[in-house]
Amino acid sequence: MKKALLAILLAALVALPIQGQSRTNSFPSHDKHQALLRLEDVSPGGKYATLDDLGRLRAVFEYLQAEDVPFHLAVISRSKLWKDGAWVEKGIDDPNPDEHLQKFKELLQKAQQNGAVLGMHGYTHQYGDVKRGDGWHDTGVGYEFAIEDAPETSTVPYAVEKISKSLAAFEKAGLTPAFWESPHYQDTREQEEAFRSFMGVLYQPDYFSLKSFKDQVVYQDENLYGETTLGSVYVPAPLSYVTGPKDVERILEKTEHFQGLGAVFYHSFKEYDALEAVTGTDGKPLIRDGLPVYQYKQGSNTQLQQIVHGMREQGWTWLSLHDVLPFSPAHRIDLPLGTTTEHLLFGDVSGSKQEALVVVDSVGKVSVLQGNFNWPRNRSQSPFATWLQSGLDAEDTPLLADVNGGGVADLIAYHPESGEVNVYLSNTLGFDAGKSYGTVRSGLKKIAADDLNGDGLADLLLQDEQTITAAFQDQQKFQPHGTDTLYLQHDDAQMLTGDVNGDKRPELILYSPSDRQLDVYAITADGGFKHLKAFEVPQPKRDGQAVLGDTNGDGLQDVVINDGSHGIWEIWQGDAKALLKPHDNLYGPWARGERTAFSADLDGNGKADIASFDSEQGVLDISLSFRRAK
């Protein structure tokens, strides 16, 4: 039924408007020659049932890595096949894995460590416990959802059971999924809505949108199965897959003029005939990590190789899903009643390398949530824990930074009327009683903390309506250092601080939405400011918000600019030479409206995520980053 609908939609495709990198971000990869490769139907049985098969599969992985081709694995968690009158079943969630299954899991783990992106391709990719005439009882051949003579396969509870089992299997195998893909793309719309509640990304076409013929389809709707979440993304494979030489010709003919996302999928076992076992000097097969070593035969020119090289020669760049889609729609957190933007903080207060949510309420109580941001995204969270019963004044401006070099974020409270700064050190389980760290200027518009002079202790940047000055920490007191003052050119300047160029010293970054400009300054040892470079930021034209975080784990801070009116997020990547350079792809639309943007490493994977606070609903929506440094 879906394929018939798709054929009808295809007839209307000519009327589809084409847009580039606009504020709607309707076609994120339009005319960018961005390509994705997905290796389909990778399971612990069938074509991968022996150690030799795994050695061959590893050779395909290593070929792609050598060619600098990021790849994606559509993993079937459990293989179930009817063979010689009996069921042969094996899954990555088996309690007592044999040698082959253990090596299969290790192979996937290593592939993921090396940058492969794994996803769930159903749970068994088949149906039933009885042999069928259509062969759909066998993994890889069969359908798993929306089977006409099995009405239960079209229900939401059935879909939830399957994705839950697959998630549990991945976790047991030490693997992290990045997407869901229904076998043969077949399911019901109601089941897809459930899948989107569990995972933010479906690596399959959206049969209800013409855009799937070309590019991603983004939904901003709330997902309501389990805990509520916001947004989801369909990532299609417009180039389809390869069954033989004619498909290679079809793909390369299409990519000569195609302007959409160049995504294709391929079955690894089609490479087997081009592989040969590697033998040692004694003539015996070489074994590495428990698997036979295979390599491509001299002069091989497989269909996969033709696609990899052919598209590259046409100017296509092979990328990871996380390059094309910089963030993945994830969890929603219900915040304590009355939470305000100024009193919502993020920092590693426990030493876990994961930034927690810290909320200061109107009576000075400080609560902390060390969230669980693993998949599924619709999981329930633990309640906030009280870390400080009282102490802060209702007028205090709170912030987090490592004040004493202890390796965890401490709580700093600035009183705008008196200018007094109090510090509440973290003991990793709570905040100690406050201690005065001196007095700075009163009436500040914003205060930021970072180690400005490289001594391992937090210092302060002080912003009022017209100026920015530095206050260094000396003998547990924050004191103005020198007389240098930076005069602001725009009254809407947003102040950020972080190391964007890798010199191990934070820079000052100013973003002015009205001027549409980013300015980067070095902070000198005497507390002065040296202008390094200005960057034009054409969009948004107004009301932009800038946040800072290392979104790809390369050790450099990136600026992320949120256009709230359109729900678009743009990364300006930190760079050792250029200071900042825009990432090729925007993210969104996601979290559109009058919200406040934040950035923090919420899942502890070393990459800054983005978050959007809706003060009316009292919720924080999160999109996670899994980008890799290049």
Side-chain angles (χ1 to χ4, degrees):
M1 181 177 69
K2 279 189 173 182
K3 292 180 180 178
L5 175 61
L6 196 60
I8 295 172
L9 292 176
L10 180 59
L13 184 60
V14 292
L16 191 66
I18 300 299
Q19 301 178 40
Q21 188 90 321
S22 69
R23 281 294 109 175
T24 61
N25 201 34
S26 295
F27 295 89
S29 295
H30 176 67
D31 208 21
K32 294 179 182 176
H33 282 72
Q34 297 178 333
L36 300 179
L37 173 65
R38 187 177 76 227
L39 301 181
E40 200 80 340
D41 294 341
V42 178
S43 80
K47 300 291 186 179
Y48 311 102
T50 70
L51 293 177
D52 275 293
D53 292 336
L54 298 185
R56 295 183 181 97
L57 180 60
R58 180 175 62 185
V60 177
F61 292 174
E62 292 176 345
Y63 160 72
L64 293 171
Q65 290 164 358
E67 290 291 330
D68 194 24
V69 177
F71 58 92
H72 309 77
L73 301 177
V75 178
I76 305 168
S77 297
R78 176 161 291 275
S79 172
K80 190 173 181 180
L81 300 166
W82 182 261
K83 187 176 181 180
D84 299 329
W87 288 107
V88 178
E89 188 169 349
K90 183 178 287 189
I92 60 174
D93 50 355
D94 282 350
N96 300 301
D98 59 17
E99 180 187 14
H100 162 265
L101 184 55
Q102 186 60 38
K103 293 302 178 185
F104 178 77
K105 293 194 292 184
E106 290 174 2
L107 182 59
L108 296 188
Q109 290 167 358
K110 187 170 183 180
Q112 188 161 59
Q113 291 165 8
N114 289 335
V117 178
L118 275 59
M120 300 176 289
H121 193 23
Y123 178 57
T124 61
H125 200 314
Q126 58 81 233
Y127 171 71
D129 298 312
V130 177
K131 183 181 178 182
R132 295 170 56 101
D134 54 19
W136 291 359
H137 56 275
D138 278 339
T139 289
V141 176
Y143 291 78
E144 194 165 359
F145 302 100
I147 299 171
E148 189 173 350
D149 61 356
E152 76 277 9
T153 64
S154 296
T155 66
V156 169
Y158 176 87
V160 168
E161 177 189 3
K162 291 291 187 173
I163 193 171
S164 297
K165 285 183 174 180
S166 191
L167 277 164
F170 265 66
E171 183 175 7
K172 188 168 186 177
L175 303 171
T176 302
F179 60 85
W180 169 268
E181 179 200 353
S182 294
H184 302 303
Y185 298 154
Q186 180 160 305
D187 50 34
T188 70
R189 195 60 170 180
E190 293 74 22
Q191 289 176 325
E192 284 181 14
E193 290 171 0
F195 295 146
R196 286 155 49 180
S197 289
F198 281 77
M199 298 293 296
V201 179
L202 272 60
Y203 200 163
Q204 63 186 63
D206 175 15
Y207 286 111
F208 287 77
S209 174
L210 288 169
K211 293 179 185 177
S212 271
F213 287 103
K214 289 183 175 292
D215 217 322
Q216 304 168 34
V217 179
V218 179
Y219 283 92
Q220 302 180 70
D221 311 64
E222 290 184 333
N223 309 293
L224 302 177
Y225 193 94
E227 297 297 322
T228 301
T229 58
L230 181 68
S232 56
V233 182
Y234 286 81
V235 180
L239 302 182
S240 193
Y241 70 109
V242 177
T243 60
K246 289 186 177 180
D247 286 311
V248 176
E249 295 176 9
R250 170 186 57 79
I251 289 170
L252 294 180
E253 286 178 4
K254 183 171 184 176
T255 51
E256 284 184 352
H257 54 79
F258 188 56
Q259 294 180 313
L261 177 63
V264 62
F265 62 97
Y266 190 85
H267 292 89
S268 303
F269 55 78
K270 292 178 67 64
E271 298 292 280
Y272 284 6
D273 289 343
L275 299 171
E276 61 184 5
V278 179
T279 57
T281 55
D282 57 0
K284 295 181 179 180
L286 285 181
I287 303 295
R288 173 162 42 92
D289 297 331
L291 296 179
V293 178
Y294 279 82
Q295 65 184 11
Y296 278 80
K297 297 174 183 176
Q298 188 72 26
S300 63
N301 187 30
T302 68
Q303 293 163 13
L304 177 61
Q305 291 172 324
Q306 291 173 44
I307 292 171
V308 165
H309 293 294
M311 289 183 63
R312 184 169 276 164
E313 288 172 0
Q314 292 174 344
W316 291 83
T317 301
W318 293 102
L319 297 174
S320 162
L321 172 67
H322 300 312
D323 295 316
V324 172
L325 181 66
F327 300 98
S328 297
H331 310 64
R332 168 175 285 183
I333 302 297
D334 293 311
L335 297 175
L337 188 65
T339 299
T340 64
T341 298
E342 297 77 12
H343 293 86
L344 175 58
L345 312 172
F346 300 85
D348 180 10
V349 295
S350 66
S352 65
K353 307 302 181 185
Q354 175 186 355
E355 295 191 68
L357 282 70
V358 179
V359 174
V360 182
D361 70 11
S362 59
V363 296
K365 185 176 78 171
V366 182
S367 302
V368 172
L369 173 66
Q370 196 79 52
N372 182 344
F373 298 107
N374 296 321
W375 306 113
R377 62 192 298 215
N378 59 351
R379 66 171 65 241
S380 298
Q381 298 287 341
S382 301
F384 278 77
T386 300
W387 272 46
L388 188 68
Q389 191 63 46
S390 61
L392 274 71
D393 188 279
E395 302 301 319
D396 282 348
T397 298
L399 61 156
L400 294 171
D402 184 1
V403 174
N404 63 351
V408 296
D410 306 303
L411 179 63
I412 304 171
Y414 163 74
H415 195 278
E417 184 174 338
S418 66
E420 184 176 10
V421 179
N422 287 301
V423 171
Y424 304 79
L425 296 177
S426 169
N427 59 33
T428 72
L429 297 174
F431 291 116
D432 295 336
K435 177 182 177 181
S436 177
Y437 268 56
T439 301
V440 296
R441 296 203 319 272
S442 61
L444 294 174
K445 180 179 179 181
K446 183 173 181 180
I447 183 169
D450 208 330
D451 179 12
L452 303 180
N453 58 2
D455 65 356
L457 307 177
D459 307 299
L460 301 179
L461 287 173
L462 314 174
Q463 178 184 358
D464 60 22
E465 293 295 336
Q466 296 181 323
T467 67
I468 293 176
T469 56
F472 288 3
Q473 186 185 160
D474 183 25
Q475 297 183 3
Q476 298 185 354
K477 299 291 181 183
F478 292 112
Q479 301 177 7
H481 196 87
T483 58
D484 284 345
T485 298
L486 177 64
Y487 289 90
L488 301 174
Q489 302 298 313
H490 305 279
D491 58 10
D492 64 346
Q494 300 174 24
M495 177 176 66
L496 307 169
T497 177
D499 181 10
V500 299
N501 64 356
D503 64 356
K504 308 303 180 184
R505 296 283 294 273
E507 283 75 46
L508 167 66
I509 301 101
L510 295 179
Y511 169 59
S512 170
S514 63
D515 193 45
R516 303 181 203 173
Q517 185 165 298
L518 279 166
D519 287 279
V520 182
Y521 295 82
I523 303 172
T524 63
D526 59 355
F529 304 94
K530 178 184 177 182
H531 189 260
L532 298 177
K533 199 169 184 179
F535 300 87
E536 183 181 354
V537 183
Q539 300 282 359
K541 296 181 179 179
R542 57 184 175 84
D543 300 331
Q545 300 177 64
V547 294
L548 199 71
D550 179 7
T551 62
N552 67 350
D554 65 355
L556 306 181
Q557 297 292 300
D558 312 314
V559 178
V560 182
I561 296 178
N562 173 225
D563 177 357
S565 61
H566 294 92
I568 301 299
W569 303 71
E570 180 178 11
I571 300 172
W572 283 75
Q573 196 76 48
D575 185 82
K577 295 181 179 179
L579 293 180
L580 294 171
K581 58 182 181 181
H583 182 59
D584 289 338
N585 284 58
L586 302 175
Y587 175 65
W590 177 79
R592 182 164 53 193
E594 294 185 8
R595 290 164 159 256
T596 304
F598 294 93
S599 179
D601 181 10
L602 294 169
D603 59 353
N605 69 349
K607 296 153 190 181
D609 313 302
I610 54 173
S612 178
F613 173 47
D614 184 335
S615 59
E616 286 192 8
Q617 293 191 69
V619 298
L620 185 76
D621 289 303
I622 295 165
S623 281
L624 298 174
S625 174
F626 301 97
R627 301 177 60 225
R628 287 177 67 91
K630 294 184 179 179

